[in-house]
Amino acid sequence: MKKLLLPLFVLALTLSAWASNPMESNRPKTYNILGRVIDDNTHEALMGAWVQLVEKNMRISTNTDGAYVIGGLESGKYTLRVTMMGYETKERQLILEDEAIVMADFSLKLTDRSIEEVVVSANRNEVKRCMAPVVVSVLNNKTFENVNAPDLAKSLSYQTGLRVENNCQNCAFPQVRINGLEGPYSQILINSRPVVSALSGVYGLEQIPVNMIERVEVVRGGGSALFGANAVGGTINIITKEPTRNSFSVNTQVSNMNGQSWEETMGANVSYVSKNHNYGIALYEAYRNRSPYDADGDGYSEVGKLDMNTFGLRTFYRPSKRNVFNLEYHTTNEFRRGGNKFDMEPFNTDITEQTKHVINSGGVSYDHFLPGDRHKLSAYVSLQHILRNSYYGAQQDPDAYGKTTDLTYVLGTTYSGRFNKVLFSPATLTAGLEYQANSMHDVMQGYGRDMQQDVKIGGAFVQNEWEMRYFTLLAGFRLDKHNLIKNVIFSPRINLLYRPSESLQTRLTWSTGFRAPQAYDEDLHITAVGGEGVLIQLAEGLKPERSNSFSGSVDWATNIGHWSANFLVEAFYTDLRNVFVLENIGVDATGNTLQERRNGSGARVYGVNLDAKVAHGKDVSLQAGFTYQRSRYKAYEAWSENPNVAPTRNMPRTPDCYGYFTLTTAPFRRFEASLSGVYTGRMYVPHFAPAAGDVPADYPYSYISEDEMVHTPDFFDFNIKLNYTFDIDDDIKLQLNAGVQNIFNAFQKDIDQGGYRDSGYFYGPTSPRTYFIGLKISH
């Protein structure tokens, strides 16, 4: 019956077009493109393949029969591009002229080459990854599912050069490092907009559930020339789910940490697109509840309590063929708590770090395509508002409550145009204006802190991308005027791509970045050491931090019999000037330790990223990445106020070696098994001692007598996941899954115990051995 649906639909469209004006011989006023996408080998329908109308920046996905329909088009020449993960990309030129209905079927060959993916983070325009002038790595839903990641934090370690760490025993404060540079060196974007503020960066990686994400694009190296401040280590661009076809899915999972602590997650997605594709909406919801986990039995948590609910949507409306409006919104309510005595009020406990976040974020954009579809004008506005109520206290402190409000907004306009010749070759010109503002008010009366920070940045950028037969040259710059910096910041970039064949690309890049002298995410988090808080303040005359990043890479894809392979080798070097360093400078009037952020002598980060992927169709897929690097200050930097403690040239919490792997196999049609793992090499981590006299003589736990820089052991976090899929009917599938994460329980062994611990002395895998079971229903 299903095989008859497409011919019947074609017949209905034909009769409809004829009946509307049966006596007229004029050309049709509107046109329709329809067809099917199938596997070239098995001839099975490919559900979920993307069919893009390039000139209209419109794309839809195929249904369960592999079919698609694009209607309401005017006459003209169009390009159809069909993409699907694990398959080659195909394009076809169509001329809509005489026939009201044009058939366009596609047969895709398996390839599993990541170079076929379409990305936007390289130059703010959609481009195939193999044509991008910089290396863009992509995380997609398949990776999220294979590694069983509930949120962004649990997935980013499965990209070469990225490592996620937990910086606090109490509240599980995560941050991501790109090429060894700590979290504030990375710019996190949502749909290419820099609306993730310093406050949302504290716990933000865990506050983004994976079911709101379509894909994550990662660009390593300085990106301030395109995205402005803080893009020193790189950019992480989160592309949210967009409506492409009518679908729904619900999922739930229950997990247990080492036989002690339970966690439940639930998620739902619904998508609707109108028949003429003039409007559509995608909705998502995620719920997560986690009880605290105590690794060493001292009554204090190593993984905190978490209760979070997220709801969001993304929608579009096309009033005409040249105009598109997009709207995105999501809200998160989160409660988290770490420490001890969870059944008591925070001020009755020995240690509690507790926050309650209410986050509202969204944006509107408008795209206008000029006649000929070679030029596009865009305007956008995005904003995020956060209300945080917090308690960061120890030893039954009644005054450790705080309240923080934060408002970030970005507005701008962008022009993109394709020209037949600019100086010596065809080129794409991109230019834009952007204004960013952030207003934050952080009050913690018990610590004597009342921080009011207003950041305002006006920026303008321009870049030109020359496209030649074998070469692509991109050159551009950005000017930013930051209200906390006297002079205008000039951030240039140059990228060269040499592409002698479809399967080989070599790249050379030079890019720049900067960080302004302002409060960052860790400044808004208070770590407890020895029962007292640790506060971070900015030094007088703090200068902006600047960077120069250089990289060279070779990206090669090949087929070996029925196997496809993709290999990447990338060398990188980043030079940091006026690098920000933290130094203990004493205590305040209430006995809290003070750390000062000041300018150091500078630092160098350099190394090699290796990435490989080998696949045999859908049967077996192996991907692995490894980073070998050095992160060193140019001169010895003091990190402790104790004169007996030696300064260091090693950038703390940065291993010289780290990597990952994922292996997926589907030996049977309905069964799939996934193995994955993350390796973390040895690194230097500061371990602070309680102040003399803080710990009672009869206290049951002992502590180090003076600060020390610990050389940690290495870790390997190994995981397995199995799933089996049942067909409920032709359109609905039920998947059952189960597995174990961190099978060998690779977890820190020398954690401080008790109420006077250094809660910042926490490293290695973020979770202990965890068992899970779940199900997913999808259409």
Side-chain angles (χ1 to χ4, degrees):
M1 180 66 185
K2 282 192 170 184
K3 293 182 179 179
L4 296 175
L5 292 179
L6 189 61
L8 288 174
F9 185 68
V10 174
L11 178 61
L13 284 175
T14 305
L15 292 174
S16 175
W18 177 81
S20 63
N21 201 347
M23 304 303 295
E24 231 175 76
S25 60
N26 293 339
R27 292 175 181 171
K29 293 183 178 179
T30 61
Y31 298 81
N32 302 278
I33 304 173
L34 60 156
R36 294 183 74 224
V37 182
I38 63 172
D39 184 290
D40 183 70
N41 182 40
T42 66
H43 303 292
E44 292 181 351
L46 294 179
M47 180 183 71
W50 293 107
V51 182
Q52 181 183 12
L53 198 64
V54 176
E55 288 76 11
K56 303 300 179 189
N57 196 29
M58 174 196 301
R59 68 173 187 168
I60 62 172
S61 64
T62 55
N63 63 16
T64 53
D65 297 316
Y68 72 92
V69 179
I70 303 175
L73 300 174
E74 295 182 354
S75 63
K77 184 177 180 181
Y78 295 92
T79 303
L80 275 185
R81 177 185 297 153
V82 179
T83 60
M84 186 172 183
M85 179 60 61
Y87 288 86
E88 65 180 355
T89 297
K90 277 196 173 181
E91 290 188 357
R92 182 178 300 176
Q93 301 288 333
L94 299 177
I95 297 177
L96 305 186
E97 190 172 21
D98 297 320
E99 301 295 330
I101 301 169
V102 176
M103 297 292 297
D105 295 332
F106 291 86
S107 179
L108 303 186
K109 293 182 179 180
L110 281 166
T111 175
D112 262 312
R113 295 181 184 176
S114 60
I115 60 173
E116 298 288 345
E117 295 168 307
V118 176
V119 295
V120 297
S121 301
N123 53 16
R124 288 190 183 238
N125 300 307
E126 286 195 346
V127 62
K128 288 173 65 174
R129 180 179 172 273
C130 62
M131 301 293 291
V134 297
V135 175
V136 181
S137 302
V138 179
L139 280 167
N140 54 44
N141 285 278
K142 186 63 176 175
T143 303
F144 301 151
E145 184 173 320
N146 290 343
V147 303
N148 200 53
D151 55 52
L152 184 63
K154 290 291 193 297
S155 62
L156 288 177
S157 291
Y158 293 93
Q159 274 295 330
T160 306
L162 272 65
R163 191 178 68 83
V164 177
E165 64 183 19
N166 190 331
N167 289 161
C168 181
Q169 275 178 280
N170 294 328
C171 66
F173 159 37
Q175 67 166 295
V176 61
R177 291 174 178 260
I178 300 182
N179 285 349
L181 294 173
E182 61 182 341
Y185 286 93
S186 305
Q187 178 70 283
I188 299 179
L189 311 169
I190 297 179
N191 295 323
S192 301
R193 313 296 181 226
V195 294
V196 179
S197 66
L199 179 62
S200 60
V202 179
Y203 304 108
L205 298 180
E206 275 198 317
Q207 293 169 341
I208 300 176
V210 295
N211 74 320
M212 74 174 275
I213 303 173
E214 182 67 40
R215 67 184 186 278
V216 178
E217 299 181 7
V218 178
V219 179
R220 297 181 290 266
S224 291
L226 200 57
F227 296 110
N230 305 333
V232 175
T235 56
I236 298 173
N237 193 3
I238 302 163
I239 309 299
T240 58
K241 293 274 190 183
E242 57 180 309
T244 56
R245 64 185 180 92
N246 299 335
S247 64
F248 75 85
S249 68
V250 293
N251 66 84
T252 184
Q253 188 173 100
V254 177
S255 60
N256 179 273
M257 286 188 281
N258 221 17
Q260 180 190 135
S261 174
W262 291 93
E263 179 174 348
E264 179 185 10
T265 60
M266 299 180 66
N269 291 77
V270 178
S271 179
Y272 172 77
V273 180
S274 66
K275 291 183 179 180
N276 58 7
H277 300 278
N278 283 344
Y279 60 89
I281 185 170
L283 304 168
Y284 54 86
E285 189 276 341
Y287 171 75
R288 187 176 180 188
N289 181 271
R290 181 182 68 203
S291 57
Y293 172 74
D294 177 10
D296 51 13
D298 65 346
Y300 295 79
S301 65
E302 271 67 57
V303 180
K305 176 180 174 60
L306 180 67
D307 193 349
M308 182 172 66
N309 194 20
T310 299
F311 169 79
L313 61 88
R314 185 173 179 184
T315 183
F316 71 87
Y317 172 61
R318 292 187 176 91
S320 66
K321 69 170 188 173
R322 302 194 187 281
N323 300 282
V324 183
F325 291 91
N326 293 276
L327 183 145
E328 187 271 334
Y329 168 77
H330 72 269
T331 180
T332 297
N333 285 266
E334 183 209 63
F335 174 85
R336 69 171 60 218
R337 177 172 173 172
N340 74 331
K341 301 179 181 179
F342 286 84
D343 58 339
M344 294 185 178
E345 290 294 324
F347 59 83
N348 289 325
T349 67
D350 300 294
I351 290 181
T352 289
E353 294 187 17
Q354 175 180 296
T355 61
K356 183 177 181 180
H357 290 85
V358 178
I359 303 172
N360 287 281
S361 179
V364 178
S365 66
Y366 167 69
D367 297 323
H368 175 70
F369 296 85
L370 276 67
D373 299 313
R374 297 176 62 87
H375 305 270
K376 182 177 77 169
L377 293 172
S378 300
Y380 56 88
V381 58
S382 297
L383 59 87
Q384 183 179 81
H385 180 267
I386 303 174
L387 175 63
R388 182 183 80 171
N389 291 296
S390 61
Y391 180 92
Y392 291 98
Q395 305 309 311
Q396 302 179 11
D397 186 352
D399 299 319
Y401 288 94
K403 184 175 182 179
T404 311
T405 57
D406 183 87
L407 176 64
T408 301
Y409 65 89
V410 180
L411 55 91
T413 182
T414 304
Y415 163 78
S416 178
R418 291 179 292 156
F419 297 89
N420 292 328
K421 189 173 183 180
V422 175
L423 297 179
F424 50 83
S425 75
T428 300
L429 175 68
T430 304
L433 300 172
E434 191 170 74
Y435 180 78
Q436 305 174 38
N438 171 254
S439 179
M440 180 194 66
H441 190 197
D442 184 43
V443 179
M444 303 194 76
Q445 293 182 353
Y447 293 99
R449 184 164 80 182
D450 188 340
M451 180 190 298
Q452 177 77 48
Q453 178 175 272
D454 292 294
V455 174
K456 300 174 183 179
I457 309 172
F461 61 89
V462 61
Q463 64 176 27
N464 199 61
E465 188 173 343
W466 288 273
E467 300 157 3
M468 294 158 274
R469 182 177 181 183
Y470 296 117
F471 291 92
T472 298
L473 173 65
L474 185 149
F477 64 89
R478 178 173 175 131
L479 299 174
D480 285 289
K481 180 62 184 76
H482 197 296
N483 66 309
L484 301 180
I485 303 174
K486 182 179 179 180
N487 299 318
V488 173
I489 299 291
F490 174 65
S491 302
R493 69 183 292 204
I494 298 176
N495 308 101
L496 177 65
L497 166 67
Y498 173 56
R499 189 168 174 263
S501 68
E502 287 283 337
S503 60
L504 179 65
Q505 306 95 45
T506 62
R507 296 174 174 89
L508 294 174
T509 70
W510 169 62
S511 55
T512 56
F514 77 95
R515 287 211 296 163
Q518 65 186 67
Y520 289 94
D521 50 11
E522 69 267 43
D523 305 354
L524 305 173
H525 167 268
I526 297 177
T527 301
V529 178
E532 303 293 346
V534 178
L535 302 175
I536 298 174
Q537 64 183 32
L538 306 182
E540 283 290 331
L542 187 66
K543 300 177 183 178
E545 188 173 0
R546 300 299 305 270
S547 72
N548 279 285
S549 297
F550 304 87
S551 69
S553 64
V554 177
D555 198 347
W556 178 53
T558 186
N559 290 317
I560 307 170
H562 295 291
W563 292 79
S564 61
N566 203 160
F567 303 98
L568 171 71
V569 179
E570 178 188 44
F572 61 89
Y573 176 91
T574 298
D575 181 79
L576 300 171
R577 303 189 307 275
N578 298 323
V579 64
F580 296 157
V581 296
L582 289 175
E583 181 180 356
N584 277 16
I585 58 173
V587 296
D588 63 11
T590 59
N592 296 300
T593 299
L594 292 178
Q595 290 186 336
E596 184 177 71
R597 185 182 306 283
R598 60 174 181 80
N599 292 118
S601 58
R604 298 184 182 93
V605 179
Y606 52 92
V608 177
N609 288 316
L610 306 173
D611 195 87
K613 185 175 184 179
V614 180
H616 187 275
K618 292 184 177 180
D619 297 333
V620 181
S621 177
L622 171 66
Q623 184 165 343
F626 187 79
T627 299
Y628 180 78
Q629 67 167 70
R630 292 284 188 270
S631 302
R632 303 290 186 265
Y633 295 122
K634 294 178 181 178
Y636 282 94
E637 299 289 350
W639 59 276
S640 170
E641 64 175 337
N642 188 336
N644 298 322
V645 175
T648 183
R649 286 195 63 185
N650 296 291
M651 295 185 75
R653 309 186 70 93
T654 304
D656 289 341
C657 303
Y658 52 97
Y660 77 96
F661 87 94
T662 60
L663 172 64
T664 303
T665 178
F668 314 112
R669 180 172 174 266
R670 303 176 188 276
F671 175 77
E672 187 174 78
S674 300
L675 301 176
S676 60
V678 174
Y679 172 75
T680 303
R682 304 186 70 186
M683 56 184 161
Y684 290 93
V685 176
H687 189 185
F688 293 100
D694 279 354
V695 183
D698 58 349
Y699 199 70
Y701 301 108
S702 60
Y703 301 92
I704 57 175
S705 58
E706 61 180 25
D707 302 343
E708 60 182 11
M709 185 70 76
V710 178
H711 197 196
T712 70
D714 58 355
F715 294 90
F716 183 69
D717 182 354
F718 183 71
N719 320 294
I720 183 171
K721 180 180 181 181
L722 309 175
N723 63 64
Y724 191 88
T725 302
F726 301 88
D727 291 329
I728 304 301
D729 65 16
D730 291 338
D731 296 324
I732 300 177
K733 299 181 183 299
L734 168 66
Q735 181 197 94
L736 299 179
N737 59 75
V740 185
Q741 294 178 295
N742 197 356
I743 293 175
F744 304 115
N745 200 31
F747 204 71
Q748 183 180 347
K749 306 300 183 192
D750 63 338
I751 298 170
D752 275 358
Q753 294 180 297
Y756 296 88
R757 65 184 184 178
D758 175 6
S759 60
Y761 181 61
F762 197 53
Y763 58 86
T766 58
S767 298
R769 181 190 295 117
T770 302
Y771 308 91
F772 65 88
I773 184 170
L775 65 86
K776 178 181 180 181
I777 300 174
S778 60
H779 173 270

